[in-house]
Amino acid sequence: QVQLVESGGGLVQPGGSLRLSCAASGSTLTYGTIGWFRQAPGKEREGVSYISPSDGVTAYADSAKGRFIISRDNAKNMVYLQMYSLKPEDTAVYYCAAALLRSLNVGDFVSWGQGTQVTVSS
């Protein structure tokens, strides 16, 4: 299985931006989908966005539409999540994960990173 490592989290003020990175140990093209998820304290893990490395098809949760952009660099085996207009409710641990099919369902993902903390606070 591909190993995934997230980076780029941190503390940002409301309205600010962050770019998260997901580095894969193997080819991202091995998987049909690389997704970003998040989990806030006391809440279930939820899907944020996914991208298909082969053709660039993307999907977003309603909470991410218009504010987040997912992208990939297959040559570097990297997937990114650019986040704009961050809100306190975006505070969570963000995970990237790999799946064989296009999905934002947690159960469909087979490889997970360790997560990176994003805190939106003034």
Side-chain angles (χ1 to χ4, degrees), residues 25-89:
S25 61
S27 174
T28 52
L29 292 172
T30 301
Y31 289 85
T33 300
I34 302 292
W36 283 98
F37 295 79
R38 66 186 184 186
Q39 188 166 18
K43 295 188 176 181
E44 292 187 354
R45 192 169 298 187
E46 63 176 3
V48 175
S49 180
Y50 75 69
I51 188 165
S52 174
S54 61
D55 58 14
V57 170
T58 61
Y60 297 90
D62 288 343
S63 59
K65 288 178 181 176
R67 298 191 300 126
F68 295 0
I69 301 173
I70 192 170
S71 62
R72 92 290 195 200
D73 185 334
N74 291 336
K76 297 181 179 179
N77 295 323
M78 296 289 295
V79 174
Y80 306 98
L81 185 69
Q82 178 69 56
M83 304 185 294
Y84 298 100
S85 302
L86 284 162
K87 307 173 183 179
E89 50 264 44

Side-chain angles (χ1 to χ4, degrees), residues 1 12-13 16 18 20 35 40 58 71 80 84 86 94 99:
Q1 291 184 341
V12 62
Q13 292 187 342
L18 275 178
L20 305 182
T58 61
S71 62
Y80 306 98
Y84 298 100
L86 284 162
Y94 283 71

